[in-house]
């Protein structure tokens, strides 16, 4: 048996070692507090689950789903974009449901990237941007996100010959893993740069509804010119604690949306219909629980940031996402420090290098663990004070 060459181009999975250590410690009976995983610990709101159950009982939803999404869901997505961002979308041409946004993020590379093509990708960044590019036969060109630039890419440092050769640029705000945010002025600069070099833009925005201190992150689609050259990926995973159900969407430029649909319709059969109905319920229903849930994350954020600052670990207080991106102490690489926390305190965090070389010097804490576990983690971290 001979596997395809492209598999050998995938980078090694950096979390393997940390995951193996966590399993080892647990097998020894150690109580590991895991700040590593970005998966909401809180449940999907009950009205959404009830709609899912109701639709699951209806035999009309037991067959193959409508691959391009139920009209009801497409309209709910367009209605939500209008209500939340003031953006008008044509639900028949500018909206496509996805089996979780990760699925569309991976597949869209097949629409733009031919062997040897470049895609501009943030570093650190969510791994599927580069992995999708590699699987399509392309090459990632990494745009560093540096703290001194507020974790925004500096377009001026990208050589013209690289930008001209690239087909696609990925952006992601609010940002995983750095927790950074971007405003419309930044998006405007990105569009200007993309237009100059004939690039399409994919903005990945699953965290716009996880925000604190009254901050309301914008959508890339709020820029009138955005839809001329770009799309936005969104997800119900983080907004409604729905990671299990696998549903997201892409909206924006109708040619890009249609290209992705052409790829998808040949590879998958769409989102199970019961889940589509549940998603429409979430988007149309009351959004009160989103604010309540964010208040929980904000309290957790404040508790964690306080202890990190007592330990001498520098971090920015994130205004969005449920991630805290902290500097490692002097003398530690990301991996060293993640291992030290695991060995000495049985605390698991994600080493920044899991998101690319640009993550060196940082670790990521996720706030998606129950309050009592977070408190246990905070207590252990405070006992480490002084050694940083
Ligand atoms: C930046 C980013 N984009 C996309 C996703 C994928 O979300 P989903 O596939 O659950 O919609 C994640 C999940 O962690 C993420 O952090």
């Amino acid at each position: 048996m001979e596997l395809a060459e492209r598999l050998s181009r995938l980078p090694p999975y950096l979390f393997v070692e940390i995951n193996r250590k966590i399993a080892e410690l647990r097998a020894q009976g150690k109580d590991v507090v895991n700040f590593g995983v970005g998966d909401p610990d809180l449940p999907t709101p009950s009205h959404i689950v009830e709609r899912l159950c109701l639709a699951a009982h209806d035999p009309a939803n037991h067959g193959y789903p409508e691959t391009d999404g139920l009209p009801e869901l497409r309209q709910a997505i367009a209605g939500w974009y209008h209500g939340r961002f003031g953006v008008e979308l044509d639900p028949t041409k500018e909206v496509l449901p996805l089996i979780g946004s990760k699925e569309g993020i991976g597949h869209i590379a097949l629409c733009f990237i031919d062997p040897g093509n470049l895609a501009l990708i943030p570093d650190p960044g969510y791994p599927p941007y580069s992995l999708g590019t590699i699987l399509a036969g392309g090459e990632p060109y990494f745009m560093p996100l540096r703290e001194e630039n507020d974790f925004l890419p500096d377009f001026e440092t990208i050589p013209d010959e690289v930008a001209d050769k690239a087909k696609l640029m990925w952006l992601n705000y609010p940002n995983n893993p750095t927790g950074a945010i971007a405003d419309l002025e930044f998006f405007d600069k990105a569009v200007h740069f993309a237009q100059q070099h004939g690039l399409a833009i994919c903005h990945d925005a699953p965290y716009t509804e996880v925000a604190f201190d009254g901050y309301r992150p914008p959508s890339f689609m709020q820029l009138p010119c955005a839809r001329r050259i770009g799309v936005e990926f969104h997800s119900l995973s983080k907004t409604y604690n729905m990671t299990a159900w696998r549903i997201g969407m892409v909206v924006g430029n109708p040619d890009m949306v249609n290209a992705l649909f052409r790829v998808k319709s040949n590879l998958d059969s769409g989102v199970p219909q019961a889940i589509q109905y549940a998603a429409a319920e979430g988007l149309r229903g009351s959004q009160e629980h989103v604010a309540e849930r964010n208040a929980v994350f904000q309290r957790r954020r404040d508790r964690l940031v306080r202890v990190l600052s007592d330990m001498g670990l520098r971090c920015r207080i994130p205004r969005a996402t449920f991630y805290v991106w902290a500097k490692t102490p002097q003398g530690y690489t990301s991996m060293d420090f993640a291992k030290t926390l695991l060995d000495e305190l049985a605390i698991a965090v994600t080493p920044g290098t899991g998101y690319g070389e640009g993550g060196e010097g940082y670790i990521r804490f996720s706030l998606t663990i129950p309050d009592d576990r977070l408190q246990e983690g905070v207590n252990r971290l405070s006992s480490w004070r002084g050694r940083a």
Side-chain angles (χ1 to χ4, degrees):
M1 185 171 58
E2 201 178 326
L3 296 176
E5 161 67 16
R6 73 174 64 80
L7 284 189
S8 66
R9 297 185 62 216
L10 295 177
Y13 186 57
L14 262 171
F15 302 122
V16 168
E17 204 179 334
I18 292 273
N19 288 344
R20 190 186 44 76
K21 265 195 147 237
I22 294 175
E24 232 172 67
L25 289 173
R26 285 191 168 144
Q28 293 163 14
K30 288 249 169 70
D31 172 30
V32 177
V33 177
N34 192 351
F35 283 98
V37 186
D39 187 357
D41 58 305
L42 299 162
T44 306
S46 57
H47 66 287
I48 300 178
V49 179
E50 275 157 26
R51 185 70 188 91
L52 176 65
C53 293
L54 195 69
H57 280 295
D58 182 350
N61 298 321
H62 294 181
Y64 285 116
E66 297 252 9
T67 311
D68 55 350
L70 292 164
E72 174 167 342
L73 175 59
R74 287 161 162 265
Q75 274 154 18
I77 293 169
W80 181 80
Y81 255 86
H82 187 247
R84 169 66 175 85
F85 300 113
V87 169
E88 295 276 0
L89 293 168
D90 178 342
T92 64
K93 295 197 192 84
E94 295 177 328
V95 171
L96 180 66
L98 302 170
I99 312 170
S101 60
K102 186 179 187 178
E103 174 264 300
I105 290 169
H107 279 145
I108 202 161
L110 296 175
C111 305
F112 285 93
I113 304 294
D114 283 318
N117 288 162
L118 292 183
L120 307 185
I121 290 168
D123 178 20
Y126 181 56
Y129 311 144
S130 52
L131 301 185
T133 305
I134 291 170
L135 288 174
E139 302 284 341
Y141 176 89
F142 290 107
M143 306 182 288
L145 304 187
R146 296 191 208 287
E147 189 159 356
E148 61 268 27
N149 296 334
D150 298 322
F151 299 110
L152 300 168
D154 180 355
F155 301 124
E156 280 170 24
T157 61
I158 301 172
D160 277 347
E161 61 276 18
V162 167
D164 288 339
K165 210 172 145 201
K167 303 284 168 188
L168 199 63
M169 174 164 69
W170 280 99
L171 297 171
N172 160 226
Y173 294 98
N175 183 260
N176 176 17
T178 66
I181 55 176
D183 56 18
L184 289 178
E185 199 182 321
F186 167 76
F187 289 141
D188 196 41
K189 260 194 225 159
V191 168
H192 189 71
F193 172 74
Q195 278 173 333
Q196 257 181 328
H197 297 283
L199 293 166
I201 294 183
C202 289
H203 182 238
D204 183 24
Y207 296 100
T208 64
E209 305 318 291
V210 184
F212 315 119
D213 309 316
Y215 172 61
R216 301 277 277 164
S219 160
F220 172 58
M221 285 297 132
Q222 280 171 248
L223 274 191
C225 50
R227 111 181 49 189
R228 266 190 248 140
I229 56 159
V231 288
E232 181 159 89
F233 287 85
H234 215 294
S235 173
L236 278 76
S237 288
K238 322 288 168 164
T239 305
Y240 305 121
N241 311 327
M242 280 177 76
T243 47
W245 310 118
R246 311 310 304 133
I247 184 150
M249 62 271 206
V250 63
V251 306
N253 183 278
D255 296 330
M256 291 176 72
V257 167
N258 186 48
L260 183 52
F261 175 64
R262 283 170 57 200
V263 167
K264 274 174 59 57
S265 59
N266 282 291
L267 293 176
D268 69 59
S269 301
V271 182
Q273 265 179 210
I275 295 172
Q276 296 195 41
Y277 282 114
E281 176 74 28
L283 292 163
R284 282 191 185 140
S286 156
Q287 306 295 307
E288 245 169 59
H289 50 86
V290 175
E292 285 162 17
R293 188 273 319 268
N294 286 346
V296 172
F297 285 147
Q298 183 172 325
R299 258 198 328 271
R300 292 178 185 173
R301 175 201 70 175
D302 292 343
R303 266 201 266 170
L304 180 66
V305 164
R306 210 172 306 128
V307 75
L308 294 180
S309 136
D310 289 350
M311 289 170 75
L313 299 189
R314 212 166 41 70
C315 66
R316 294 192 173 189
I317 300 175
R319 293 176 71 196
T321 77
F322 38 59
Y323 302 117
V324 175
W325 185 241
K327 273 298 258 179
T328 52
Q330 280 248 275
Y332 287 87
T333 65
S334 299
M335 193 53 111
D336 289 342
F337 194 53
K339 279 192 196 150
T340 301
L341 291 179
L342 198 52
D343 287 337
E344 295 187 11
L345 303 176
I347 284 183
V349 297
T350 310
T353 40
Y355 301 93
E357 280 172 23
E360 184 53 272
Y362 294 87
I363 51 172
R364 192 196 76 172
F365 289 83
S366 172
L367 301 168
T368 53
I369 58 174
D371 287 332
D372 58 332
R373 301 300 293 155
L374 184 111
Q375 191 55 50
E376 174 62 29
V378 163
N379 294 345
R380 291 184 199 176
L381 288 167
S382 59
S383 74
W384 205 76
R385 189 182 322 176
R387 276 185 264 169

